[in-house]
Amino acid sequence: MHTTTATLLSPTVTPMFDTLTAAMSEAAFVQVGDIVFTADYLHAPDEFTRPDDVLVEGTREDQELLLIQRDFEGAKLTGDGEICLRDGTLIRFLRPAAVH
């Protein structure tokens, strides 16, 4: 089993928190690059979220995805709704109707 890790913005960056909360709303899947994971657990960050708190857990066949608060530090929102992590990884939260 393969585990992928990633992390989120500090509580002082409210616009990204708002973006993540909106993006996670009703999402059933998480796309990381070209790989789509089933979203098993999503936790929208708030002012009580700590750097090591888990925000996203997902699975895909024999792979697991784990994203923590720290993974999103320095992340930016792209024009087409993707979140670009500091390392260049693109994340997208997908609702069932968006998966083809």
Side-chain angles (χ1 to χ4, degrees):
M1 195 174 294
H2 175 72
T3 302
T4 304
T5 61
T7 317
L8 258 173
L9 293 176
S10 68
T12 58
V13 187
T14 304
M16 182 53 78
F17 278 173
D18 293 345
T19 297
L20 285 170
T21 299
M24 290 179 173
S25 177
E26 299 179 26
F29 304 95
V30 181
Q31 182 177 352
V32 180
D34 293 332
I35 301 172
V36 177
F37 294 86
T38 300
D40 299 323
Y41 173 78
L42 296 174
H43 172 72
D46 58 26
E47 67 273 10
F48 303 108
T49 305
R50 296 178 181 217
D52 290 330
D53 286 351
V54 174
L55 298 185
V56 179
E57 288 183 15
T59 54
R60 176 185 183 264
E61 298 171 4
D62 65 342
Q63 296 180 323
E64 293 181 349
L65 172 68
L66 178 67
L67 300 172
I68 61 175
Q69 167 81 11
R70 188 177 301 112
D71 293 325
F72 291 88
E73 290 176 1
K76 296 184 175 151
L77 182 64
T78 68
D80 58 359
E82 290 180 320
I83 297 167
C84 183
L85 301 182
R86 187 179 36 197
D87 68 0
T89 302
L90 295 176
I91 306 286
R92 183 181 294 244
F93 294 94
L94 306 171
R95 291 171 183 79
V99 176
H100 300 275

